[in-house]
Amino acid sequence: MKKIVVLGAGYAGLKTVVALQKKVRGQAQITLVDQNDYHYEATDLHEVASGNLPASKITYPIQDVLNSETTTFIQDRVVKVDPATKTVKLTHHDDLTYDYCVMALGFVSENFGIKGATENSLPMASVEEAKAIHEHLVNKMKDYQRTQDKNDLKIIICGAGFTGIELAGALADAKRRLAKIAGVDPSQISITLVDAASRLLPMFDDKLANYGVNLLKKLDIKIVSEALISEIQPGLVLYKKKGEDDDAQLHDVAANTIIWTTGVSGSPVVSDSDLPARRGRVMDTDHLTAPDDDDLYMVGDVAAVMPPDGKRPYPTTAQIALSMANYAAKDIAARVKGGQRPGKYTYKSLGTVASVGNTRAFGVAMGGHYRGYPASFIKKMIMNKSLFETGGVKELMAKGRFDLYH
Ligand SMILES: Cc1cc2nc3c(=O)[nH]c(=O)nc-3n(C[C@H](O)[C@H](O)[C@H](O)COP(=O)(O)OP(=O)(O)OC[C@H]3O[C@@H](n4cnc5c(N)ncnc54)[C@H](O)[C@@H]3O)c2cc1C
């Protein structure tokens, strides 16, 4: 019986297992490893960070979707993979050996070596980190009652990419609740996005990007653009404006909550395993395997896949992670059964929709441009589809977003 080891139970890993279980029953044994005993919808982390949703609403037990005849679950941290001996090293369990390994360990926050970023700002790349942000915010609001320090009411988000903007929108929705804790009017809580770009939202055309920026402004979210962050000190973001001399005096913006969403890289396990990677991402072969190792599949945020134009890899998203997982499961099943392998992996994006709070969104889906409530409706449908793909009907009914009428 073939041994398949899947590392990570996020979108890519769990979808691989769910799809494989049906295809290789009785012909292979699957072992799934994750550091948590729950799966989480990473695309909803900002809802937990803002306190708009409890962590329980974006998580479910991994065991819920496993078939115990085919799959064994191990809760542990993966340390490294040794492709030469086909071995996976875990923190607390014995080494695992495999015929096929699927690495799907996802992303971590990337600080780009900026001084003080790790020590003085809060990342948002896991449920624990999202919960820590919310706890910090609540504490700052409580502190304000005692200190009357206006910086306790200020929130800075470093990085106005997709994640930073979705977080800012969710925090705008949370203002009323946070203000109540501080005993102030919601208008006294400020949210500032700081980003190096001159033009935000590069994934959208000018019209849609302008719509997004105006939406943020309407919600009183300040945007400091063309700001090259050089250092984070406790309660202070220091930056240089684009085009300014190296020795020009730095600008600063103060807040007692500084959240870091400038970007992500693939799991550090990738470099610890000596795999050839850039920012923790391995450039996949046509069959989504690591170069020179056809038995090690790299899927989701630990992988880079080049579109046919060969210019830049596809952005890492939950959408492509699920698509890669489907392909990997099909390819592995064909090999286990000794059948013909599928042709090379191809990907077609279904679109991108950004939420700005619970009832506002904008983006492109199914070839059309959407704004406002229709976009918000589509966004929730997309999230429900992702949830259904790993969790099936049971998790969709329990955790899906059906608050569609506002
Ligand atoms: C706020 C936010 C909003 C987003 N919005 C969207 C969106 O609207 N649409 C979209 O398509 N994408 C979105 N994304 C991106 C998307 O979430 C990621 O691309 C996706 O989660 C990647 O899936 P994955 O399976 O590779 O990794 P993950 O979902 O990160 O899963 C990785 C898994 O590996 C486990 N793990 C990690 N390290 C170890 C270890 N050493 N040992 C054991 N287990 C480990 C983790 O616990 C986790 O279960 C968003 C991301 C964020 C943060």
Side-chain angles (χ1 to χ4, degrees):
M1 180 129 22
K2 293 285 186 195
K3 285 194 275 187
I4 304 166
V5 171
V6 179
L7 308 176
Y11 294 98
L14 201 53
K15 179 70 207 181
T16 304
V17 171
V18 167
L20 259 178
Q21 283 180 155
K22 295 183 194 137
K23 297 178 195 287
V24 300
R25 192 173 299 170
Q27 291 166 290
Q29 186 58 42
I30 304 167
T31 304
L32 172 64
V33 185
D34 199 285
Q35 60 199 351
N36 304 313
D37 60 0
Y38 58 84
H39 162 85
Y40 59 93
E41 298 286 298
T43 56
D44 263 340
L45 283 174
H46 56 293
E47 299 288 5
V48 174
S50 62
N52 295 341
L53 289 180
S56 60
K57 185 76 184 166
I58 71 156
T59 57
Y60 61 82
I62 291 169
Q63 290 284 13
D64 272 10
V65 295
L66 301 186
N67 175 339
S68 56
E69 269 174 38
T70 318
T71 309
T72 307
F73 175 63
I74 297 177
Q75 186 182 353
D76 203 350
R77 261 191 93 74
V78 178
V79 178
K80 64 184 278 191
V81 176
D82 180 8
T85 56
K86 292 191 156 192
T87 306
V88 179
K89 192 168 170 41
L90 304 178
T91 308
H92 299 296
H93 291 75
D94 290 343
D95 291 357
L96 298 171
T97 56
Y98 62 83
D99 295 296
Y100 304 113
C101 177
V102 181
M103 194 194 280
L105 292 170
F107 62 93
V108 291
S109 179
E110 168 67 84
N111 67 21
F112 300 101
I114 291 171
K115 196 171 162 194
T118 305
E119 300 81 356
N120 302 317
S121 67
L122 300 161
M124 191 182 66
S126 68
V127 174
E128 287 313 313
E129 288 175 358
K131 278 163 66 176
I133 290 173
H134 184 237
E135 207 176 296
H136 178 94
L137 277 169
V138 169
N139 286 337
K140 287 299 124 192
M141 297 302 135
K142 286 183 184 160
D143 284 354
Y144 178 77
Q145 298 241 11
R146 183 174 40 83
T147 62
Q148 298 291 299
D149 177 356
K150 293 259 187 296
N151 287 343
D152 283 336
L153 304 177
K154 292 184 185 163
I155 305 164
I156 296 175
I157 302 169
C158 298
F162 200 86
T163 302
I165 284 174
E166 289 208 320
L167 174 63
L171 287 171
D173 277 1
K175 263 189 183 182
R176 193 178 295 274
R177 193 168 13 86
L178 294 172
K180 214 166 173 185
I181 303 170
V184 298
D185 187 82
S187 62
Q188 286 184 257
I189 295 181
S190 82
I191 303 167
T192 304
L193 283 160
V194 181
D195 199 280
S198 320
R199 189 232 194 244
L200 299 187
L201 298 161
M203 65 293 270
F204 298 126
D205 65 20
D206 284 350
K207 222 167 153 188
L208 216 44
N210 282 338
Y211 175 87
V213 168
N214 287 332
L215 190 53
L216 295 169
K217 287 183 181 161
K218 258 192 228 154
L219 292 169
D220 204 21
I221 295 164
K222 297 181 195 74
I223 302 170
V224 182
S225 54
E226 302 194 332
L228 306 165
I229 297 171
S230 51
E231 186 179 346
I232 309 292
Q233 291 178 0
L236 209 60
V237 175
L238 298 163
Y239 64 92
K240 203 175 71 173
K241 277 297 242 185
K242 239 181 200 167
E244 285 181 344
D245 290 342
D246 279 351
D247 53 2
Q249 201 178 348
L250 294 174
H251 306 265
D252 62 56
V253 49
N256 285 346
T257 300
I258 301 174
I259 305 170
W260 192 257
T261 61
T262 57
V264 293
S265 49
S267 163
V269 173
V270 172
S271 52
D272 293 345
S273 304
D274 291 329
L275 293 165
R278 218 174 137 236
R279 273 179 63 192
R281 290 181 196 128
V282 171
M283 187 60 72
D284 271 348
T285 66
D286 288 349
H287 283 267
L288 302 185
T289 51
D292 307 320
D293 188 344
D294 208 26
D295 298 332
L296 177 59
Y297 290 77
M298 305 291 299
V299 292
D301 275 27
V302 292
V305 174
M306 201 56 98
D309 71 13
K311 283 188 188 151
R312 300 185 71 191
Y314 289 112
T316 51
T317 61
Q319 194 186 135
I320 195 169
L322 290 165
S323 152
M324 292 167 100
N326 270 320
Y327 178 91
K330 221 189 263 179
D331 197 35
I332 295 170
R335 296 173 76 184
V336 167
K337 294 173 175 173
Q340 171 138 23
R341 294 175 73 175
K344 70 176 187 179
Y345 173 74
T346 56
Y347 174 64
K348 186 157 174 17
S349 168
L350 298 173
T352 308
V353 181
S355 65
V356 183
N358 189 33
T359 57
R360 298 164 297 265
F362 60 96
V364 183
M366 301 160 292
H369 284 51
Y370 296 89
R371 302 181 179 87
Y373 174 70
S376 169
F377 181 95
I378 291 171
K379 176 78 179 183
K380 285 175 188 168
M381 287 295 108
I382 293 170
M383 310 287 259
N384 286 346
K385 182 174 177 286
S386 292
L387 181 58
F388 174 73
E389 287 220 24
T390 53
V393 176
K394 181 180 167 196
E395 305 305 337
L396 175 64
M397 296 322 285
K399 313 282 159 127
R401 298 291 301 271
F402 298 110
D403 50 336
L404 303 171
Y405 305 100
H406 308 290

